[in-house]
Every structure is written in structure tokens, then in C-alpha cells.
DNA sequence: ATATACTTATCGGGCATCCGATAAGAAGGC
DNA sequence: GCCTTCTTATCGGATGCCCGATAAGTATAT
């Protein structure tokens, strides 16, 4: 059950968060990692972020766009639909949690 | 990655949700399962809910109170602290997700 | 007491997530 | 070319969440 004052580690939300972040603007991997660091407190390792991106790509939710040294990830229309659906589930699930 | 329009299964939030529900009012197991069913769409099986309750109890976050046939679960002060901390992490993590 | 119905509990296993370490690729400086 | 630096990618492994099936406990009814 993790550290002393934690009831869960909130796994299983990474893809959702990534999709959400990419819906705000297209980003490359390190940018996503940085944003996640601000939100979660710890920076996800490359072994976390890139497999997640790969899975999202294979699901057709994001696509890549080479940009010099880096790769820009952005949502596909299908990814937007998936985010919309997941967001609804999320909101229904956590009604009232926001203080 | 689950069904077609899903980016993640939102696992890893069960303990958090249970703690949150119990902060509203003390409940017994089936009541919790029922509430979770409304929020998630599917009813968690006994094999899901009771191990979770057990872990929360062993962590000192909830305590039991026999009530005839059923057991009433309620938060401990430590559980309230844990919920508060987790809630803060949760809110920081998902700022802006609520449409 | 026996049966029934309901709640609570346990066990084994599957599966996705996540991490650390390591490698591969790409650009720029010398 | 070669070295450095940064980004991207892969692999093995560990964790832990969750489920289905099954068992155990408890009260009520007949």
C-alpha cells in the first residue's frame, strides 16, 4: 500500500494523463515527462513513458511527427474520441472528490 | 489497452475511492460495492473488494464494527489523514481534467 | 435443527503498469 | 571522421491490482 500516508499509488492512469496532456498541445517525449513530473512529483523514467507512447500509437490514439532530433506526438481523431470517453468515465467515477 | 475507446482501465484507484466513500459515511461491504457499481459501471467482485478492505484495515486506515450480520467499515483518524494527502495528490495530478 | 439467503473472506492466477538499466538513433562541435 | 549530448527505444523483472471461484460465517425462517 505504499508509503505511510498513501492509500494507493494511482497506477493505471498514465495513458489517460498522457492523452489528456496531448489534447492540450502536441509535445515530444521529454516534454511529456516534464509535465508529468510537475503533476506527480516524480519524473517517469524512459522505460515508463516510451512504452506507454508506443501502446497509444498502436491503439491509433496518437501519431508521431519527426521534428529534427525529436518526435512530436499528437492526438488522432480517434484519440480525441477515446479521451472524451475516458474523461466521462473519469468524471463519473470521481464525482465529489475535488474538495 | 482495453476496449476500443479506452485509453486505460483506471486500475489502481480502488483503495482511494473506497477511502473517499467511507469518508462520506460508514458503510458495509456490499454498500461499498453498490456505490462503486454506480460509479464504475460494473460491480467489483467480492475478490476485489474484501482484499482491498483488508489491506486498508492492516494499514490502519479503516476499522471494523460488527453490526449483526454485517460489518460496518469506517475511517480512522489516520485514514482521514491518508485520504487528505491522497486527495491533494489526486487534485494536483488531474488539474484541468474536469472539463 | 435444517435449510436458505446473504455477507464476508480467502486463494490462485492473469494482466497491465511501471521502473532501472541499457542500447540505439540523431544532431552539432571539433 | 569522432566525440559529446540529448532524445527515443527496448528488455527483463517486480509490483500490485483485480477477478472468478470457492469457502466460511451469521441471521432468519420453517
Amino acid at each position: 500500500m505504499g508509503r505511510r500516508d498513501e492509500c494507493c499509488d494511482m497506477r493505471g492512469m498514465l495513458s489517460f494523463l498522457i492523452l489528456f496532456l496531448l489534447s492540450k498541445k502536441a509535445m515530444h517525449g521529454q516534454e511529456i515527462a516534464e509535465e508529468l513530473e510537475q503533476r506527480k512529483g516524480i519524473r517517469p523514467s524512459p522505460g515508463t513513458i516510451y512504452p506507454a507512447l508506443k501502446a497509444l500509437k498502436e491503439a491509433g490514439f496518437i501519431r508521431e511527427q519527426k521534428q529534427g532530433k525529436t518526435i512530436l506526438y499528437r492526438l488522432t481523431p480517434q484519440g480525441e474520441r477515446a479521451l472524451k470517453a475516458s474523461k466521462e468515465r473519469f468524471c463519473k467515477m470521481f464525482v465529489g472528490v475535488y474538495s
Side-chain angles (χ1 to χ4, degrees), chain A residues 19 22-23 56-57 59-64 73-86:
Chain A
L19 225 51
L22 289 180
S23 78
L56 287 171
K57 183 177 64 178
F61 294 160
I62 65 176
R63 64 187 171 79
E64 306 180 344
Y73 299 91
R74 80 172 65 242
L75 250 58
T76 61
Q78 189 178 346
E80 287 172 23
R81 282 198 301 276
L83 176 61
K84 185 162 176 291
S86 296

Side-chain angles (χ1 to χ4, degrees), chain A residues 12-87:
Chain A
M13 306 296 292
L14 184 67
S15 310
F16 175 65
L17 259 183
I18 292 179
L19 225 51
F20 170 70
L21 292 176
L22 289 180
S23 78
K24 297 297 178 189
K25 75 171 198 230
M27 302 194 219
H28 44 263
Q30 290 308 309
E31 220 173 338
I32 297 174
E34 201 173 322
E35 182 73 30
L36 286 172
E37 185 178 9
Q38 288 185 7
R39 289 178 175 258
K40 299 185 47 172
I42 58 172
R43 189 187 193 88
S45 79
T48 298
I49 196 102
Y50 290 105
L53 286 170
K54 186 183 179 188
L56 287 171
K57 183 177 64 178
E58 283 169 357
F61 294 160
I62 65 176
R63 64 187 171 79
E64 306 180 344
Q65 179 183 351
K66 279 207 146 185
Q67 233 192 19
K69 176 155 62 167
T70 71
I71 295 180
L72 203 61
Y73 299 91
R74 80 172 65 242
L75 250 58
T76 61
Q78 189 178 346
E80 287 172 23
R81 282 198 301 276
L83 176 61
K84 185 162 176 291
S86 296
K87 225 160 148 180

Side-chain angles (χ1 to χ4, degrees), chain A residues 16 84-98:
Chain A
F16 175 65
K84 185 162 176 291
S86 296
K87 225 160 148 180
E88 280 166 15
R89 283 196 309 131
F90 176 87
C91 291
K92 187 172 173 191
M93 211 158 161
F94 298 106
V95 208
V97 174
Y98 277 69

